[in-house]
């Protein structure tokens, strides 16, 4: 059984390159604090819509429309020191679903890949979706201010099962038919979930923030923020190995500026 995958760019985020890539020359640069404009990266904030015969899945929620008028209040003062959101008209997840004539009630699942603000800010635009899910280790490790961003949305943490993919071979065969796997790829955060989707031409692997671009797994460059460097390295190793499979047609990082809105 095949799914259809759509990449949706829900605005952008401006961050110091230190947040994206933990290279030797950037190790001593603090995550909080503003460097010069030339040290900043403007990166896409992506969501993914998966059409599947057993029910549609949306991965992540992008920015809330509130960032257009008062971004610091919308994402919180601490987060605003680290990242600056940008959400052009028509690019919120609500607006993009409406443009596709997809009512939120048709979403069987909304998966939160991990609890960073740019992945959960727009959750309230999706109220009415059938189920909001996140991995148990991610929910258990989330901070109070992250859970507060989900207020009003019923989040259902899911347990991890043995699966044939991933650095720890833990995750979820979502529909039990081998077409969509949620895969634990920890390191950036404790419970970060990558998603493996079987489309007509092969596998597409969505790695969220386990890496910020192909450079991450090709050159083994960790994300700038990690909860566990060793696990982050193991996750990138597995991603690199999977990317070399003949049946892997794409590996997509959430914030890779070279990835364009597209469908598979």
């Amino acid at each position: 059984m095949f799914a259809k995958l759509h990449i949706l760019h829900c605005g952008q985020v401006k961050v110091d390159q230190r947040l994206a890539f933990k290279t030797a020359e950037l190790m001593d640069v603090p995550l909080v604090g503003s460097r010069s404009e030339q040290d900043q990266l403007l990166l896409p904030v992506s969501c993914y819509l998966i059409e599947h015969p057993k029910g549609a899945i949306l991965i992540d929620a992008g920015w809330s429309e509130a960032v257009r008028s008062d971004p610091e209040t919308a994402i919180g003062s601490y987060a605003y020191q680290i990242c600056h959101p940008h959400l052009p008209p028509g690019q919120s997840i609500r607006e993009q679903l409406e443009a596709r004539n997809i009512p939120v009630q048709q979403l069987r699942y909304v998966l939160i890949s991990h609890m960073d603000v740019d992945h959960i800010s727009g959750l309230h635009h999706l109220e009415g979706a059938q189920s909001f899910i996140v991995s148990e280790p991610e929910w258990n490790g989330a901070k109070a201010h992250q859970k507060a961003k989900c207020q009003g949305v019923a989040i259902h943490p899911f347990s991890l099962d043995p699966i044939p993919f991933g650095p720890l071979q833990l995750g979820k065969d979502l529909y039990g038919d081998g077409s969509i796997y949620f895969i634990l790829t920890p390191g950036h955060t404790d419970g970060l979930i990558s998603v493996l989707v079987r489309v007509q031409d092969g596998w597409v692997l969505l790695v969220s923030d386990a890496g910020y671009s192909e450079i991450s797994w090709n050159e083994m460059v960790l994300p700038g923020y990690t909860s566990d460097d060793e696990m982050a390295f193991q996750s990138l190793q597995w991603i690199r190995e999977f990317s070399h499979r003949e049946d892997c047609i794409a590996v997509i990082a959430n914030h890779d500026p070279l990835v364009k809105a597209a469908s598979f």
Side-chain angles (χ1 to χ4, degrees), residues 162-204:
I163 59 170
F165 300 107
L168 300 175
Q169 295 192 322
L170 290 173
K172 185 75 68 177
D173 180 352
L174 180 62
Y175 287 129
D177 60 5
S179 61
I180 298 175
Y181 285 95
F182 295 164
I183 303 171
L184 181 66
T185 48
H188 174 60
T189 63
D190 291 340
L192 185 143
I193 294 294
S194 295
V195 180
L196 187 59
V197 184
R198 170 66 82 173
V199 298
Q200 188 166 2
D201 294 331
W203 290 112
V204 177

Side-chain angles (χ1 to χ4, degrees), residues 101-225:
N101 295 314
I102 300 175
V104 292
Q105 292 81 4
Q106 287 186 8
L107 299 174
R108 177 66 186 87
Y109 294 104
V110 175
L111 170 70
I112 302 168
S113 66
H114 64 299
M115 296 286 289
D116 283 353
V117 65
D118 51 321
H119 298 258
I120 63 174
S121 175
L123 279 177
H124 61 96
H125 294 314
L126 301 170
E127 291 181 31
Q130 296 174 40
S131 183
F132 293 83
I133 56 177
V134 67
S135 74
E136 281 185 347
E138 185 67 16
W139 185 253
N140 293 340
K143 297 177 174 60
H145 68 86
Q146 292 173 313
K147 291 183 176 180
K149 292 291 181 189
C150 305
Q151 189 173 3
V153 177
I155 306 294
H156 303 283
F158 62 88
S159 59
L160 303 174
D161 304 323
I163 59 170
F165 300 107
L168 300 175
Q169 295 192 322
L170 290 173
K172 185 75 68 177
D173 180 352
L174 180 62
Y175 287 129
D177 60 5
S179 61
I180 298 175
Y181 285 95
F182 295 164
I183 303 171
L184 181 66
T185 48
H188 174 60
T189 63
D190 291 340
L192 185 143
I193 294 294
S194 295
V195 180
L196 187 59
V197 184
R198 170 66 82 173
V199 298
Q200 188 166 2
D201 294 331
W203 290 112
V204 177
L205 178 60
L206 308 171
V207 302
S208 188
D209 293 3
Y212 273 67
S213 74
E214 288 188 16
I215 292 171
S216 302
W217 51 90
N218 288 339
E219 301 181 19
M220 299 305 294
V221 179
L222 301 185
Y225 172 83

